[in-house]
Amino acid sequence: MKSPSQPRDRGIPEATVARLPLYLRALHGMAERGIATVSSEDLAGAAGVNSAKLRKDLSHLGSYGTRGVGYEVEYLVYQISRELGLTQDWAVAIVGVGNLGRALANYGGFVSRGFRVAALVDADPEVVGDTIAGLNVEHIDDLEAVIARRGVSIVVLAIPAAAAQKVCDRVIAVGVTSILNFAPVVLSVPDGVDVRKVDLSIELQILAFHEQRKAGGPLMAVDSQ
Amino acid sequence: MKSPSQPRDRGIPEATVARLPLYLRALHGMAERGIATVSSEDLAGAAGVNSAKLRKDLSHLGSYGTRGVGYEVEYLVYQISRELGLTQDWAVAIVGVGNLGRALANYGGFVSRGFRVAALVDADPEVVGDTIAGLNVEHIDDLEAVIARRGVSIVVLAIPAAAAQKVCDRVIAVGVTSILNFAPVVLSVPDGVDVRKVDLSIELQILAFHEQRKAGGPLMAVDSQ
DNA sequence: ATCCCTTTGTGAACCGATGCACAAAGTCGC
DNA sequence: GCGACTTTGTGCATCGGTTCACAAAGGGAT
């Protein structure tokens, strides 16, 4: 026989990984409202995806549903959390405590489960030493020491584009392999380092493209009345 | 004969649209450094993509290169800008001037070209009437009037998850069809409305997944020495 | 004017992701 | 214990996107 609930495939598709947090959030909401089991149809609805896609996504983790019934909410929360690595605590350092860095540090929600802001770092002597969100702001010169001391494994870059590559190189040099970049610049990193980018400007430009398209296209080839 | 440099295909792939802002940024940098022409190889390098992909992307806009030479930087900047709709000015309203909303309002860079923060709105009477980034904060009750008066066509939601759907519905009701959502919630919108989502928590969770994977997987099935 | 060199634009194979549709598997009522 | 019903898990067709590889196109030298 085989043990019934084992993650089968070590290779989970990237598209699936990107949706797991969505499912997890929906499940947390259901758990809080006391819902014990949920069908793929309902969960897919809450997460805004197709139910077949949801089932296929979950099937990559293992066979955690019961046919005729659905998925047990608490159990699925645990399995997804474990798969995403949220059963452990990740220490996050935020580099740059300008407007954005401050917002991130104070944004309690984003560090809800599994993540902990462990350090704030900035280059401006004016803010070094300040306390933001209960944390002391340390100097960028001590970046490497801070990362080592606090056990930081994920670094968030909330600094100007011009400074991003240099800081990126420094944190990689001391072993960081996960970076969330808010600076509007393409970081070049060696293999094995993951960079995820959040770029407000790009998102707005994509919206503008579609908005313009709705309004009649760039040439405004009006055949409307 | 045919006019040589006409956008040929009105259906530009979504993946291409998402990369055009990247190319545009790289081109702006080159223009500032006085570079007149650029090859697909060099531009692709600056944007961090494969050169064949870049050529195929640009070919969707038209035939704007010269074989044996490359692309004229200024001309390409204009063509991409036009395609993205950045030759016109988009009025953006930011709803919610908490930490994040404030950061966005002050973040000059993201409203660089084509975009203009035209209104700030919040529900907290404490901040309504304040001036942030040179703009008066208006009350959420006047949301519809503000959108109409300022000609807002893109709305940025920087509010708590619980309030997002309601505000979303209201702006859609007065004709807004482009929304950039920072609230950690799946918005449901009618067809024809574009929502783009920026979710810090999800990005971190994806990083955590890969970080854990590097460290040996969720089961820590160590067969290493 | 011709040849060689560079670089674009694209046909075609490939790859991953999506969604339909259904068999397999389980529950519940009687 | 059995049959009807529900819902999962997945095979398969399809689709969009990526990458390779090369013919076509243009520039510059001689």
Side-chain angles (χ1 to χ4, degrees), chain A residues 6-7 10-12 14 17-18 21-22 24-25 46-48 82-86 88 90 92 99-100 102-104 106-107 110 115 153-154 156 177-180 182 184-186 192-214 217-220, chain B residues 6-7 10-12 14 17-18 21-22 24-25 46-48 82-86 88 90 92 99-100 102-104 106-107 110 112 115 153-154 156 177-180 182 184-186 192-214 217-219:
Chain A
Q6 203 78 330
R10 294 289 72 203
I12 298 180
E14 194 55 35
V17 173
L22 227 52
L24 191 53
R25 179 177 293 152
R82 193 174 54 86
E83 197 64 43
L84 287 173
L86 304 181
Q88 57 190 285
W90 298 99
V92 177
N99 281 306
L100 180 58
R102 242 171 262 256
L104 297 177
N106 283 304
Y107 180 25
F110 106 110
F115 301 97
S153 47
I154 299 177
V156 176
T177 57
S178 295
I179 296 170
L180 181 52
F182 285 85
V185 65
V186 176
V193 176
D194 282 307
V195 177
R196 295 199 65 87
K197 192 182 48 166
V198 175
D199 195 315
L200 319 177
S201 167
I202 287 180
E203 298 300 326
L204 279 181
Q205 290 178 38
I206 295 171
L207 282 176
F209 170 83
H210 292 294
E211 186 71 23
Q212 168 181 248
R213 187 61 56 113
K214 292 172 202 158
L219 295 177
M220 282 290 177
Chain B
Q6 203 79 331
R10 293 289 72 202
I12 297 180
E14 195 53 35
V17 172
L22 227 51
L24 191 54
R25 178 176 293 153
R82 192 175 55 87
E83 196 64 44
L84 286 173
L86 304 180
Q88 58 190 286
W90 297 99
V92 177
N99 281 306
L100 180 58
R102 243 170 261 255
L104 297 177
N106 283 304
Y107 180 24
F110 105 109
S112 48
F115 301 96
S153 49
I154 299 177
V156 176
T177 58
S178 294
I179 295 170
L180 180 53
F182 284 85
V185 65
V186 176
V193 176
D194 282 307
V195 176
R196 295 199 64 88
K197 192 181 49 166
V198 175
D199 196 314
L200 320 178
S201 167
I202 287 180
E203 299 300 326
L204 280 181
Q205 289 179 38
I206 295 171
L207 282 175
F209 171 83
H210 292 294
E211 186 72 22
Q212 168 181 247
R213 187 60 57 110
K214 292 172 204 161
L219 295 176

Side-chain angles (χ1 to χ4, degrees), chain B residues 50-197:
Chain B
N50 179 302
S51 72
K53 180 150 57 178
L54 176 123
R55 287 199 299 277
K56 187 152 285 187
D57 282 344
L58 294 185
S59 78
H60 285 115
L61 315 191
S63 203
Y64 296 145
T66 307
R67 293 173 193 234
V69 177
Y71 301 89
E72 203 205 324
V73 173
E74 293 285 1
Y75 185 56
L76 200 50
V77 163
Y78 170 71
Q79 290 298 345
I80 295 180
S81 296
R82 192 175 55 87
E83 196 64 44
L84 286 173
L86 304 180
T87 48
Q88 58 190 286
D89 207 63
W90 297 99
V92 177
I94 297 174
V95 181
V97 291
N99 281 306
L100 180 58
R102 243 170 261 255
L104 297 177
N106 283 304
Y107 180 24
F110 105 109
V111 188
S112 48
R113 288 170 237 256
F115 301 96
R116 182 171 42 86
V117 178
L120 300 177
V121 179
D122 202 289
D124 183 1
E126 198 65 37
V127 299
V128 171
D130 287 5
T131 297
I132 294 175
L135 275 164
N136 182 43
V137 177
E138 308 189 68
H139 196 277
I140 187 81
D141 285 352
D142 303 327
L143 180 60
E144 289 82 359
V146 169
I147 287 173
R149 186 174 348 123
R150 303 269 198 273
V152 168
S153 49
I154 299 177
V155 169
V156 176
L157 298 182
I159 55 182
Q165 184 66 59
K166 191 163 292 182
V167 173
C168 173
D169 292 344
R170 286 176 61 191
V171 303
I172 290 171
V174 292
V176 170
T177 58
S178 294
I179 295 170
L180 180 53
N181 179 33
F182 284 85
V185 65
V186 176
L187 294 177
S188 81
V189 299
D191 281 357
V193 176
D194 282 307
V195 176
R196 295 199 64 88
K197 192 181 49 166

Side-chain angles (χ1 to χ4, degrees), chain B residues 1-8 62-64 75:
Chain B
M1 80 210 64
K2 64 171 177 22
S3 57
S5 302
Q6 203 79 331
R8 55 195 54 185
S63 203
Y64 296 145
Y75 185 56

